[in-house]
Amino acid sequence: MTDARIYLSPPDVSDIERKLLLDAFDSNWVAPVGPDLDAFEAQVAELIGVRHAVALSSGTAALHLALMAAGVRRGDTVLVPSFTFAASANAVMYLGARPVFVDSTADSWNVDPWLVAEELRVRATRGQLPRAVIAVDMYGQCADYEPLLVACDRYGVALIEDAAEALGASYQGRAAGSFGLAGVLSFNGNKIITTGGGGMLVTDDGRIATQARYLATQAREPVAHYEHRAVGHNYRLSNLLAAVGRGQVQRLDELIAARRRTARFYRTALGELPGLTFMPVADYGVPNWWLTCLLVDAGTFGADRDRIIEHLGRQNIEARPAWKPMHLQPVFRDCVMRGGAVSADLFRRGLCLPSGSALTEHDRERVVAAVRAVAR
């Protein structure tokens, strides 16, 4: 009998989410607004320590609205980490702006704050400052915000935190999502918590939250008939999905603890194998352990990253390469890139192991055995 498939990061829901969802269903609050939506926003705002939260249909929608709040317009530039998921750059393109990609640091796999500062300095001398900087919290670990905030403040450039992968993480004691003009969260099916699909914009700025709600509901004016003075979007999260999110937030500590156990198991069981190096944990914060990632030195380990993935696949185990940098993506081939060697190497050697919060000890042992079987 074949062992059940082990997925990279599947949803983990319980009777708590089921009850809240059925309660919302039975109340007939099925439309895009309702008491569960309000409660979900309040829960997340309190968790992160910000004044406002706007629940949306995706993290990409939240990033799009955050960029609009930053005043990004056609012809502008926005600094974006190259080592990220495509949504971070796609949202810039939605507005007719152009991403300028910045390399990562090997110390945390996050955007290099010193390269950001240098790029801002050079562009300031040319009178070509970007409209905004996006920092992405990679694989559940916050970017280094202290130097990023200093650099952005010096030049008057808005900072937006893409914390799609990092809910529950922290930087110097502050929660992921609480930095910059606005933070962005994702509740996609593979994230630390999920609503099946969805996201959130979080901010301390009431004006930004009000604008986001307005634009997310087709920019409808508050009158009896349908009046529109701006082009809006259909971006609001549904009340039913918000009910699922309420249950997931209640279980967040439990879900993080489960992923932390998995990360520690992998590091103990595989850490001594020559040629494997786990993603560094920066000393400036605490990750949420969303995914456990490592680098493979093929010459030392005896096999490259792709061979490991192929072998795990034959064992019915899902694993994936690290993100392919944006500057190597065909769609962004004409965009400016600052640096690039670090993020290219992370992609070439980076491996993401199954990290879901519902993994059993047997599941983890299967993953470790499969990786060890490929070693020299």
Side-chain angles (χ1 to χ4, degrees):
M1 179 178 178
T2 303
D3 279 316
R5 183 159 179 79
I6 299 175
Y7 291 97
L8 186 75
S9 182
D12 180 359
V13 292
S14 70
D15 287 341
I16 296 173
E17 293 88 338
R18 184 177 186 274
K19 180 181 185 304
L20 288 166
L21 176 60
L22 290 177
D23 287 348
F25 182 88
D26 291 341
S27 72
N28 204 37
W29 282 105
V30 178
V33 295
D36 288 285
L37 187 66
D38 295 338
F40 184 38
E41 290 176 340
Q43 273 181 292
V44 175
E46 181 179 6
L47 175 69
I48 294 176
V50 295
R51 294 187 180 92
H52 307 282
V54 184
L56 301 164
S57 57
S58 67
T60 309
L63 190 55
H64 185 194
L65 295 181
L67 289 167
M68 292 180 73
V72 176
R73 301 185 299 271
R74 181 171 299 278
D76 285 339
T77 56
V78 177
L79 301 194
V80 182
S82 183
F83 188 64
T84 185
F85 178 56
S88 305
N90 287 344
V92 176
M93 301 291 284
Y94 295 165
L95 294 166
R98 296 287 289 179
V100 173
F101 296 117
V102 183
D103 206 359
S104 296
T105 170
D107 294 337
S108 72
W109 297 18
N110 279 293
V111 68
D112 189 327
W114 312 113
L115 280 182
V116 170
E118 177 63 13
E119 186 67 15
L120 291 176
R121 185 192 67 78
V122 170
R123 288 179 172 270
T125 62
R126 299 174 184 165
Q128 297 175 344
L129 279 170
R131 185 70 63 175
V133 171
I134 297 174
V136 182
D137 300 332
M138 291 307 308
Y139 295 123
Q141 177 164 252
C142 287
D144 192 354
Y145 283 103
E146 185 173 3
L148 286 170
L149 287 166
V150 168
C152 289
D153 288 346
R154 177 180 297 137
Y155 297 103
V157 175
L159 177 66
I160 295 170
E161 181 184 2
D162 183 345
E165 303 171 3
L167 180 65
S170 63
Y171 174 85
Q172 295 183 359
R174 281 181 57 182
S178 65
F179 295 90
L181 185 73
V184 171
L185 306 174
S186 172
F187 308 126
N188 191 31
N190 66 350
K191 294 301 188 294
I192 193 80
I193 71 168
T194 184
T195 57
M200 193 171 283
L201 182 150
V202 291
T203 181
D204 274 326
D205 191 323
R207 178 191 62 83
I208 291 174
T210 298
Q211 180 188 15
R213 284 194 177 88
Y214 170 70
L215 292 173
T217 51
Q218 301 286 20
R220 182 184 175 186
E221 295 293 325
V223 295
H225 60 278
Y226 285 88
E227 178 90 12
H228 306 273
R229 300 180 183 179
V231 175
H233 307 275
N234 186 18
Y235 277 172
R236 211 64 165 104
L237 186 72
S238 81
N239 191 70
L240 288 182
L241 296 186
V244 176
R246 288 181 60 202
Q248 289 271 279
V249 170
Q250 291 179 35
R251 297 178 56 225
L252 178 60
D253 288 346
E254 163 198 337
L255 301 177
I256 291 174
R259 290 181 188 253
R260 184 190 303 114
R261 285 194 296 272
T262 292
R264 289 175 175 171
F265 185 92
Y266 288 150
R267 287 170 182 258
T268 299
L270 299 172
E272 86 285 0
L273 289 182
L276 298 186
T277 307
F278 284 88
M279 176 180 172
V281 178
D283 61 7
Y284 55 59
V286 180
N288 69 0
W289 307 101
W290 175 54
L291 289 185
T292 297
C293 307
L294 49 83
L295 296 179
V296 181
D297 184 310
T300 305
F301 183 71
D304 63 14
R305 185 269 318 276
D306 292 341
R307 184 177 168 192
I308 296 174
I309 292 175
E310 290 167 4
H311 180 73
L312 265 62
R314 290 194 292 270
Q315 305 304 311
N316 213 15
I317 299 168
E318 181 185 21
R320 289 186 187 174
W323 297 123
K324 182 175 183 178
M326 294 301 100
H327 76 281
L328 299 180
Q329 299 285 356
V331 68
F332 296 120
R333 62 182 175 272
D334 296 328
C335 293
V336 174
M337 176 66 197
R338 180 84 177 187
V342 173
S343 54
D345 183 60
L346 294 176
F347 167 61
R348 181 175 63 86
R349 299 194 292 130
L351 170 66
C352 304
L353 294 177
S355 306
S357 47
L359 281 178
T360 65
E361 184 173 356
H362 176 63
D363 293 334
R364 292 190 288 263
E365 290 172 346
R366 280 179 58 196
V367 173
V368 166
V371 174
R372 282 184 166 275
V374 188
R376 185 185 300 277

